[in-house]
Amino acid sequence: MSAPLDWLSRLLEITPVRGQLDLRCMYGAPWRIDQSESAPGEIPYHAVLGGSAMLEDPVSGKPQQLVAGDIVLLADGDAHTLHDGGGKRAKPARERAVANLVWSENSGTGARLDMLCGRFVLNPAHARLLRGYLPARLIAHSAAQTENTTDTGLHLSNLLGLMRVETGSDSLGGRAMLNALSTALFALTLRFASEAQEAPEGLLALAGYPRLAPALEALFHNPGHPWTLPALAQLCNMSRATFVRLFQEKLGRSASDLLTDVRMTMAANELRTSSASTGAIAERVGYQSEAAFQRAFKLHMGVTPASWRRGLQA
């Protein structure tokens, strides 16, 4: 008997994410980091262990302050800038290998920053689902203490503490441990954000709204079922109109959009890992007509299922 999966576990099962820690930055002000656009399928992250940093926001033009315990995920992978906020010309950074990691340091003597920088790596085909339904910039304040603080915040702080220890030790398997902890950081950050009083937009806001939880679980666990809006609304004990409005309000997209994305992601995985026919895969992900599946897959992935499979085998 298989253990039941929650929606986040199911999401990470069909869109596997591999964490990779790249740098530990130890800077004294003035300092500045200009990070270029990430490669397709990569989501950069920064975790502040000590001190503070200013993250430039190109949309509002107002920098966002990050403090110790803050983790930022940049799902859109866009170029971004962090700095000390003082406005002075940054001291140049230099890199050196320490234990299991590369450390980046400068000669600045001002306020100190201790920050981990890494990335979450996934197949470009999976990036669409994650990037499309996560906030472009997700900031989790794991050290913030409120009356509604959950155990997840403590777990996240402890995880960062373990990563701090591992970056400074030369223990056997340390590099593998750091990357495994980075992978855990992704799931734990999403869990923490979904539990916040005001969950960020997208899937996390949807997950944080209990009335819609039955529909979210259904779409991830049984996407091959011929779901209709009335059927999903009935699962949530609400009218079709109320369901459509709330789902759109929380997710920013329709239930049909999410269902199609989940189905296409599963189909792409099946084409990659099995020798099943296109018709069989179409049926598994909820399409009675192979032709309809072919059209949907090409619209979604940009190539036909056969071309997708051939490309993976090339």
Side-chain angles (χ1 to χ4, degrees), residues 133-155:
Y133 291 97
L134 292 179
R137 295 187 174 206
L138 171 61
I139 300 177
H141 306 287
S142 71
Q145 297 296 318
T146 70
E147 60 182 10
N148 296 309
T149 298
T150 65
D151 290 341
T152 306
L154 178 60
H155 298 332

Side-chain angles (χ1 to χ4, degrees), residues 211-285:
R211 291 185 65 192
L212 292 171
L216 180 62
E217 296 286 343
L219 294 177
F220 272 103
H221 284 89
N222 194 11
H225 184 79
W227 292 113
T228 63
L229 290 176
L232 291 170
Q234 186 175 19
L235 284 178
C236 301
N237 295 312
M238 60 181 69
S239 69
R240 179 187 182 281
T242 300
F243 173 79
V244 169
R245 176 178 58 80
L246 289 176
F247 206 98
Q248 182 75 37
E249 178 183 298
K250 297 299 179 182
L251 185 64
R253 300 188 186 190
S254 70
S256 297
D257 288 338
L258 177 58
L259 178 59
T260 298
D261 280 333
V262 172
R263 284 175 168 176
M264 292 299 104
T265 301
M266 291 184 63
N269 289 344
E270 287 274 338
L271 289 164
R272 176 170 59 92
T273 60
S274 80
S275 59
S277 68
T278 301
I281 292 174
E283 187 174 352
R284 287 177 196 170
V285 298

Side-chain angles (χ1 to χ4, degrees), residues 150-203:
T150 65
D151 290 341
T152 306
L154 178 60
H155 298 332
L156 199 50
S157 294
N158 290 339
L159 178 60
L160 291 179
L162 183 54
M163 294 178 75
R164 181 204 296 267
V165 171
E166 286 291 330
T167 57
S169 65
D170 195 12
S171 301
L172 189 65
R175 185 65 182 166
M177 175 71 82
L178 285 170
N179 287 340
L181 292 174
S182 291
T183 301
L185 181 67
F186 184 80
L188 201 54
T189 300
L190 295 192
R191 182 199 295 177
F192 179 79
S194 71
E195 294 172 350
Q197 272 190 302
E198 295 185 9
E201 61 186 4
L203 270 176

